[in-house]
Amino acid sequence: MKKFGIFLILNFLIIISVHAQRRGIDRERLEAARIAFITTRLDLSPEQAQKFWPIFNEFNEQREEKLKQIASLNPRSSTESISKEEAQRLIKQRFELQRELIEDEEVFVQKAATVISYQQILQLNSINREFARSIYQRQRDNRNP
């Protein structure tokens, strides 16, 4: 159950990135803000940050690619036109990609644990959510001055 929660949080972060791109938010600025926010909240030393971010970025890129693959499995038209066999194949592919996401996250945790503590790794999820909420709040505030 915990892994599923982490999966949902990570999906949420990707959705925020997509929304940011659609709304014309500079992706580089958003990424820099996210790095600063997480680095500060995790209280990473410069040495930890230097080692942590390449690990996190590699994991994040793999995750984003798999989530795009999962999204591409969703039929663009009515599901009524899809055969039972095709639907089963798509569902099986989605489950396999989700398993790979969990395996990738386990590898990430092992690598990250060589740089930061397990407590910091646990904090990472809530800090990511907090960053996402702050971005949404700023967007909402900018639309409703």
Side-chain angles (χ1 to χ4, degrees), residues 48-135:
Q48 284 178 309
Q50 184 178 16
K51 293 176 184 175
F52 171 76
W53 285 108
I55 295 168
F56 182 84
N57 290 336
E58 176 186 6
F59 165 67
N60 196 44
E61 287 172 19
Q62 290 172 343
R63 185 185 72 236
E64 284 184 18
E65 182 55 40
K66 285 193 175 78
L67 290 172
K68 286 178 187 175
Q69 290 174 10
I70 289 169
S72 74
L73 295 175
N74 293 326
R76 304 233 185 259
S77 60
S78 171
T79 56
E80 294 172 7
S81 64
I82 296 176
S83 70
K84 176 183 174 183
E85 292 77 18
E86 178 66 7
Q88 287 174 322
R89 185 187 68 75
L90 292 172
I91 290 169
K92 185 177 178 180
Q93 272 187 285
R94 186 181 69 211
F95 286 156
E96 182 56 35
L97 287 166
Q98 289 171 335
R99 277 190 280 281
E100 289 175 19
L101 281 167
I102 291 171
E103 291 169 6
D104 291 347
E105 186 171 356
E106 288 174 342
V107 170
F108 163 72
V109 168
Q110 290 173 353
K111 288 180 180 179
T114 66
V115 178
I116 62 176
S117 70
Y118 284 101
Q119 292 85 347
Q120 287 171 307
I121 293 169
L122 280 176
Q123 286 178 318
L124 185 58
N125 292 318
S126 61
I127 291 169
N128 271 324
R129 280 194 313 271
E130 191 178 334
F131 177 73
R133 279 192 299 266
S134 72
I135 294 299

